[in-house]
Structures are given as structure tokens and as C-alpha cells.
Amino acid sequence: MSMALVAGIDTSTQSCKVVVRDADTGALVREGRAPHPDGTEVDPQEWFDALAIATAAAGGLNDVDAIAVGGQQHGMVLLDSDGGVVRDALLWNDTRSGPSAAALVDELGAPVWAAAVGSVPVASFTVAKLRWVADHEPGNAERAAAVCLPHDWLTWRLAGGGPHSPVDGLPCTDRGDASGTGYWSPTTGEYRPDLLVHAFGRGLSVPRVLAQYDAAGIVEATGALAGLVRDGAVLAAGTGDNMAAALGLDAKPGDVVVSIGTSGTAFAVSETATADPTGAVAGFADATGRFLPLVCTLNAARVLAAAADMLGVDFGELDRLALSAEPGSGGLVLLPYLDGERTPNRPDATGVLSGMTTSNSTAANLARAAVEGMLCGLADAIDALVACGVRVERILLIGGGSRSEAVRRIAPLLFGRPVFVPQPGEYVADGAARQAAAALRGRPVDWPDAHRYQEFTGAATPAVRAAYAEVRD
């Protein structure tokens, strides 16, 4: 008997990735990818076209039994009453909605937002983007009949939706991605239409939120996907990218995933919801019925890139230099707020190199200070999770920055916990595939060998954190 196959799709900011895995073991069968256009707003049709290219690169999905989409959180897709896209989607990283988010917080108060939806709105949240459209594009606001997220829209298209499709009840979604909108409560599991109306001025149709193992329907391949995807395949709810990554990594309560990309995130699988009125911790839900409190920092791998440029070296030499210096970098401290910072919320801050003397001003100390400064910023993010009652036992380190040997070896010294680095993989697409397998089987699936980890440990160096905190504060 042939094995059942599932596909996971990662429709991220920069590209679309498709992985095909064995539904029962998680073994990778094949994969493909295609780029997305640059920018902070994009015509959603570009996602659909990229999916077709990535699907073809993966050898097609005609033999796949179930599919799920993991997608970039928060992005706003507005649809008219005929299912047409009203305007280009505003992505999570479009900051024009910053003043709109600040206005929403001023109007109701941060504690009210945190209690209502687990998070205090920032520019990335859908609710802030809705306010921006209402204030700046009244014509588009008037045409809008429904709002959904990038993964919701692509799931809908896979089910045969699109222009001239009814938008009532729209695409389905899951609690993970819904929790990043700013108008759905992880605590109650219900939408807050009053908050959507407060932001937009009137109500809009929103996706149905499915239970974690429910199917959203079946695939009806149209347009460029016709002939590439099996009609009738089970279509799972899909989820947000961070939630899918947690699934792909098989993160459990006590785990914190630290992702070192251009920016950084630290998110934990938690049995209880969080509601941080300071706004440092976003109280998201995950894709399994648990919760996914998350902290975002602006400065992560870009700090390493800046240090390498300053020293005129490549990343391999930066690693060698950093590991040749002693912990504490001879008293040199880098506060890495090179592009402002989100956690703590200091958007106008700049980086600071402190403690320079003639004896410690070496390339090795500067390299080490860059690694330590970046990791101290992420350690602050982990501390913010702990302050919200989140249990932290081990760190799962992912993202481009996790490939640095210096980062791997210095991280446990600053995080004060063992650090596990998984083998490279498409964690978001893998998590979506695992969700597809759960929808196919009607229960969670265990893929114990999907990822292997390399463990890094070491004695904590609290003096380094203390010196960093002194400069930070």
C-alpha cells in the first residue's frame, strides 16, 4: 500500500516554499520554492502565482492527500462583496500604520487591549492597518466587505475561492493566526467585533476559526494550479508562520524558540494565556489549543552583519574573532539598537559602543561584543516571557543567525539555559505539513525524527548581562 502524503506551504514575506512529507513518519519526500516580490504591500495574486511555481518545482501535488498553508502573520487582505481584492495587501512590516496603532492604544488604553485580545496593538497588527485604511483611503474602506490574513486568502483560493465568490464566512482560519489580528481573543476563543468596529468604523466579514484538527474543506484547483494539485485533497485550516514553526519544531511547554533573522523573535509554547499591558509580550494562541506568547526585537542578525562590515571580515572570521575573546569582551559593551528597538520600545534609539579603552579596543573584543550585545537583547526578550509567567527550560535556536558558531556557543552563557539547534529545515512549511497530517487523520501526529538537534551548554555569565543592562538602562 502506498504511503499517504501531505504538503505544507510557507507563504512568507520573501518567498513561497512547498514541502511534501509522509503523513505518518514526517519523512521529507520533495520540496520546491519560488520568490515573492519585494515591498511591504503586494497584490495577493502574486502569492497564488508563486505557489503555482513552487508547486511545479516540487513536482506537483497530484499525489498529495492533504494540504495546509502557513503564512506571514498580521497582513491585511481586504475583499469586496464579489470576492475581489480591494487594494494591495498591507504586510506585517508596513509601518505606515504605526500612528494608527498608537491612536488605538490611546483611545482605549493598553490594559484594556491586553485584557481583551492578549496583546497591545502595534503597527504590524491587522487592527492597526484597518484603522489606517479607514482614515486614509475612505473609498477603499467603503468597498471592503471582508478582511482576512495572507494564509486565509491562499487557503480560500485553494478551495476554489476568488473573484466572484461569496465572501460571507469567507476562508477559514485557525486560532493561531486569528490571535494576531487584534480583534480575536485567545482567552475566550471568540472574535471581538466591537474592537474591529472601533478600528474600522463598521463591521466586516471575518473567517471562521476552526478547531485545531478540523478540515477547512477540500481542494478545488483553479487557474495556474489546475493540473498541479489534486482536486479533493483535504484542506487544513492553516496557521500563522510562528505557530507553524512551533509545530514544525515540535515545541512543547517549557520550550522557547529564539529565531535570529534580520529581526529576532522569542516565542514560547505555554499552557496558559498571557496578557501583558506593557506591550512587550504579544499574547498569541498556537495551532494546537495552547498559547504562543511572543516577543519581537528589531536587531538580530543585522547586528552581526554590521560588525562584520565594520571589521572588514566575513562571517566565518567574525566567528573566529568572537570566540577568541574572553566573555565580557574586555569590558566592551555593544547596545545593538542599530535601527531603534521594539523591545524595549525605543524606536528612535541608536546603537552604543561603551567601555572602550586602549587595551580592549581589539577586533576580537568588538566581534565578541557584537555577538554578546545581540544575544543580550534576545535574553531580555526571554526575560519578558518569564515575567509573564512563562516556563522556560530550553531554547530552540533557529534562523540565519543560528548558523554562527559564536552565536551557538555564547547563547547558553547568556540565556542561562541549554540551547538546541535543529538541523536546517523549512520549519514553517514543515509545521503546515504536520497540521495537514492532523487534519487528514483527525488527530495530532507524532513525527519524532522530523528534526535532530545539536545541544550547546555552558556556565551562565551573569556579569555580562549586568554590564549590558547598565548601558541599556
Side-chain angles (χ1 to χ4, degrees):
M1 190 170 96
S2 61
M3 64 182 172
L5 298 178
V6 293
I9 297 163
D10 172 13
T11 181
S12 72
T13 313
Q14 297 177 323
S15 63
C16 179
K17 281 86 72 177
V18 176
V19 303
V20 177
R21 289 188 174 271
D22 184 305
D24 297 308
T25 68
L28 179 65
V29 177
R30 57 185 190 270
E31 58 189 322
R33 66 169 54 222
H36 283 161
D38 291 332
T40 62
E41 59 180 327
V42 65
D43 181 350
Q45 182 63 34
E46 299 274 6
W47 300 329
F48 187 81
D49 294 342
L51 173 58
I53 296 169
T55 297
L61 302 180
N62 285 303
D63 55 349
V64 164
D65 299 289
I67 299 172
V69 180
Q72 50 185 303
Q73 285 186 252
H74 310 304
M76 180 196 69
V77 183
L78 287 177
L79 301 176
D80 62 26
S81 57
D82 292 324
V85 175
V86 170
R87 70 170 326 281
D88 284 354
L90 292 180
L91 306 187
W92 66 274
N93 55 351
D94 192 298
T95 58
R96 74 186 76 179
S97 46
S100 302
L104 291 171
V105 176
D106 287 344
E107 288 158 12
L108 298 183
V112 170
W113 283 101
V117 294
S119 304
V120 178
V122 292
S124 59
F125 283 24
T126 318
V127 71
K129 299 181 188 306
L130 286 173
R131 169 60 68 86
W132 185 88
V133 170
D135 287 345
H136 295 88
E137 297 180 349
N140 285 335
E142 180 63 28
R143 288 176 56 209
V147 61
C148 61
L149 303 175
H151 114 258
D152 305 337
W153 184 85
L154 203 54
T155 301
W156 186 51
R157 290 300 308 271
L158 280 165
H164 312 300
S165 300
V167 296
D168 249 2
L170 240 159
C172 299
T173 192
D174 90 308
R175 59 195 298 277
D177 219 4
S179 67
T181 60
Y183 44 85
W184 186 87
S185 168
T187 303
T188 67
E190 301 289 341
Y191 280 110
R192 288 293 303 265
D194 56 320
L195 297 178
L196 193 158
V197 170
H198 178 83
F200 194 64
R202 62 180 176 84
L204 292 167
S205 180
V206 291
R208 255 184 329 121
V209 180
L210 298 180
Q212 53 265 38
Y213 310 123
D214 285 354
I218 59 172
V219 171
E220 183 182 333
T222 59
L225 286 178
L228 284 173
V229 184
R230 174 188 158 197
D231 284 340
V234 171
L235 190 58
T239 192
D241 51 3
N242 292 303
M243 298 77 193
L247 263 182
L249 291 164
D250 197 23
K252 299 287 198 303
D255 290 340
V256 171
V257 179
V258 173
S259 177
I260 305 178
T262 303
S263 58
T265 54
F267 53 91
V269 176
S270 175
E271 299 284 9
T272 56
T274 60
D276 180 10
T278 73
V281 178
F284 298 145
D286 80 346
T288 72
R290 296 186 178 104
F291 302 91
L292 202 80
L294 177 146
V295 181
C296 181
T297 69
L298 289 182
N299 298 278
R302 69 180 76 196
V303 178
L304 304 180
D309 285 345
M310 287 173 63
L311 293 169
V313 300
D314 61 19
F315 287 114
E317 179 63 9
L318 186 75
D319 271 357
R320 189 195 69 76
L321 287 168
L323 290 172
S324 73
E326 292 295 319
S329 310
L332 206 59
V333 177
L334 176 67
L335 188 70
Y337 299 168
L338 306 188
D339 295 296
E341 189 47 78
R342 175 174 167 179
T343 307
N345 186 25
R346 298 177 183 175
D348 300 320
T350 57
V352 174
L353 186 61
S354 176
M356 289 183 68
T357 66
T358 54
S359 62
N360 69 9
S361 298
T362 66
N365 282 332
L366 178 57
R368 177 115 190 174
V371 174
E372 288 179 340
M374 180 200 72
L375 290 172
C376 280
L378 290 165
D380 284 351
I382 295 169
D383 287 349
L385 293 171
V386 172
C388 285
V390 175
R391 176 164 57 94
V392 182
E393 294 176 355
R394 67 172 186 165
I395 309 297
L396 307 182
L397 195 65
I398 64 171
S402 70
R403 292 194 290 267
S404 160
E405 190 68 16
V407 167
R408 296 176 178 209
R409 297 197 177 279
I410 296 171
L413 313 184
L414 298 175
F415 295 162
R417 297 167 178 89
V419 169
F420 293 79
V421 181
Q423 62 185 358
E426 297 295 348
Y427 312 116
V428 175
D430 290 345
R434 191 171 174 189
Q435 190 191 40
L440 180 66
R441 301 301 188 210
R443 54 172 173 76
V445 295
D446 185 21
W447 290 352
D449 297 323
H451 288 294
R452 293 182 295 276
Y453 296 91
Q454 185 176 4
E455 183 179 0
F456 295 85
T457 59
T461 53
V464 178
R465 294 282 317 272
Y468 175 89
E470 186 175 349
V471 176
R472 178 198 65 208
D473 295 338

